[in-house]
Amino acid sequence: MDAQQFGRSLMGATKLANSICHELFWENITHDPRSYHIRFCVGPSRENGLLQEIFAISNSGQLPLYSPILITVAKKFIDLSIKAVIDKVLSKKDSNNAVDRIHELAMAHNEFAKQVHEGHMRDKAWLQRMITTMTRENRASVRQLPDPVGKTVNHMQIGDASAATVIDEPAAEVLRSPDTLSLGDKEEYVVRIHGVFKTNGACRVES
């Protein structure tokens, strides 16, 4: 993997995580790092691997006191919100699944649903608007996120298996695009390829 591409990807991931964390704890969606009281930092790489851990660190200079229920559900909320934002950019047909799981998370933790956003977490329409706003604010970060995919790696995974977001080459192209694109369903074609330019990979395809 190209180190520079990997670094840009990690920057995008931490910026997106910072924004989502700020929304969870302060009920404010922003991409301005000056607002953040918690910063996500990348830990050292593990030996012989590319599994990267990101840690939340308080940088406000004050003793942080948060409701225990927010701490309990924060990891899952952040994982699901990242998945919801990426699905929103990809315009995936099942993009509501992540929102449904955030709603289920809130309903399963009644105290969380009551404390956060004055109970708005119980309202799916409110959750949809939150994800839409979060997607708009973090579009630049999402473009950075898949930087190595399709260039030096085949795919990347964000989060653990229970709520993992897997970005493959087609998804990466949509996420990186400055234009509004959507990720369609996978289709299989039998084609004939007439020559390939080694310099840029261009070719003529006959179906």
Side-chain angles (χ1 to χ4, degrees):
M1 178 186 291
D2 182 85
Q4 189 172 18
Q5 294 169 2
F6 188 45
R8 279 196 293 266
S9 177
L10 287 175
M11 286 176 60
T14 54
K15 288 176 183 177
L16 180 57
N18 276 328
S19 180
I20 291 172
C21 184
H22 192 74
E23 157 68 8
L24 174 64
F25 286 97
W26 285 276
E27 304 181 17
N28 178 32
I29 299 176
T30 179
H31 64 271
D32 185 354
R34 293 174 297 181
S35 304
Y36 302 148
H37 299 287
I38 295 178
R39 295 290 183 93
F40 281 83
C41 301
V42 179
S45 298
R46 295 190 178 185
E47 187 177 356
N48 298 325
L50 287 174
L51 178 62
Q52 203 76 39
E53 293 179 313
I54 301 177
F55 300 91
I57 300 175
S58 174
N59 72 332
S60 63
Q62 300 174 335
L63 177 64
L65 297 174
Y66 306 114
S67 169
I69 190 64
L70 293 181
I71 303 296
T72 301
V73 301
K75 182 182 184 301
K76 184 161 284 189
F77 176 84
I78 292 170
D79 284 348
L80 289 171
S81 296
I82 288 175
K83 182 173 180 58
V85 167
I86 290 175
D87 287 350
K88 183 75 175 178
V89 175
L90 296 176
S91 301
K92 293 178 69 173
K93 293 180 180 178
D94 57 350
S95 60
N96 290 337
N97 289 352
V99 172
D100 289 339
R101 293 183 65 182
I102 294 173
H103 181 259
E104 291 170 5
L105 175 69
M107 299 306 291
H109 297 80
N110 190 50
E111 186 182 353
F112 172 66
K114 287 181 178 178
Q115 289 185 13
V116 181
H117 310 292
E118 300 177 352
H120 289 319
M121 285 288 178
R122 300 176 180 182
D123 184 353
K124 286 189 180 181
W126 186 91
L127 286 171
Q128 290 281 9
R129 291 194 296 272
M130 179 189 74
I131 295 300
T132 298
T133 304
M134 201 176 290
T135 301
R136 184 177 64 249
E137 284 291 318
N138 290 280
R139 190 63 186 92
S141 300
V142 172
R143 286 193 185 96
Q144 288 181 303
L145 191 59
D147 200 61
V149 180
K151 301 175 181 177
T152 52
V153 300
N154 292 328
H155 69 277
M156 63 186 296
Q157 176 179 314
I158 303 171
D160 56 31
S162 61
T165 300
V166 178
I167 302 174
D168 56 13
E169 294 185 39
E173 288 299 318
V174 175
L175 294 176
R176 283 194 291 255
S177 175
D179 303 317
T180 303
L181 303 178
S182 61
L183 186 65
D185 297 329
K186 290 184 178 179
E187 298 284 351
E188 292 187 3
Y189 299 93
V190 177
V191 300
R192 177 179 296 170
I193 298 176
H194 298 274
V196 178
F197 288 98
K198 293 182 179 180
T199 53
N200 59 10
C203 63
R204 186 165 67 89
V205 176
E206 178 184 352
S207 60

